[in-house]
């Protein structure tokens, strides 16, 4: 499974590079946290060694990994083990798009509702 994902990511990146789009791209991979176990939706996920499954507050239901790459990012080469929420991506992506000074907090609040 991981080998298939690795191959697919490589194809996407090569396609971006072949078209000269890699220098103006932000590539994000993230998880939707924890697998549903016990045949939920016909899925037999295994979150071991973490306890819990999707929709629980145990690590197996909330812990995941993520990756971001872009030549547009100014602060690179970091690994964070801190907790984060999906909304934490927004400042990073706005910075890469050079929109920090264009989009205001009020604009963001309007998006959220």
């Amino acid at each position: 499974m991981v080998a298939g994902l690795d191959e697919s990511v490589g194809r996407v990146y090569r396609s971006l590079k072949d078209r000269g789009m890699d220098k103006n791209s932000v590539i994000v991979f993230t998880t939707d946290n924890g697998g549903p176990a016990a045949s939920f939706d016909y899925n037999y996920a295994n979150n071991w060694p973490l306890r819990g499954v999707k929709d629980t507050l145990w690590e197996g239901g909330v812990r995941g990994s993520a990756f971001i790459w872009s030549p547009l990012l100014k602060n690179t080469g970091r690994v964070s083990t801190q907790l984060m929420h999906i909304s934490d991506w927004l400042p990073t992506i706005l910075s890469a798009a050079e929109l920090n000074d264009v989009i205001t907090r009020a604009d963001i609040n309007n998006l959220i509702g």
Side-chain angles (χ1 to χ4, degrees):
M1 190 70 142
V2 174
L5 176 64
D6 190 45
E7 183 179 321
S8 296
V9 170
R11 282 193 298 230
V12 169
Y13 179 75
R14 277 191 301 279
S15 182
L16 289 170
K17 190 172 176 104
D18 291 347
R19 290 166 177 77
M21 297 170 64
D22 61 318
K23 293 176 180 35
N24 196 29
S25 294
V26 178
I27 299 173
V28 177
F29 288 94
T30 187
T31 178
D32 68 344
N33 67 2
S39 187
F40 171 78
D41 201 22
Y42 303 105
N43 185 335
Y44 293 92
N46 184 345
N47 297 325
W48 185 88
L50 305 177
R51 182 179 180 183
V53 297
K54 191 177 293 301
D55 294 329
T56 68
L57 295 178
W58 299 107
E59 278 193 322
V62 297
R63 190 175 181 185
S65 58
F67 169 87
I68 184 168
W69 174 90
S70 177
L72 304 172
L73 297 174
K74 293 167 182 57
N75 188 4
T76 62
R78 295 184 324 147
V79 174
S80 174
T81 59
Q82 297 171 315
L83 296 177
M84 68 170 282
H85 185 269
I86 190 67
S87 61
D88 294 332
W89 284 113
L90 186 60
T92 301
I93 294 171
L94 289 177
S95 174
E98 297 181 352
L99 293 174
N100 277 356
D101 299 327
V102 177
I103 296 178
T104 66
R105 184 175 297 267
D107 294 329
I108 294 168
N109 287 337
N110 287 335
L111 290 173
I112 297 169

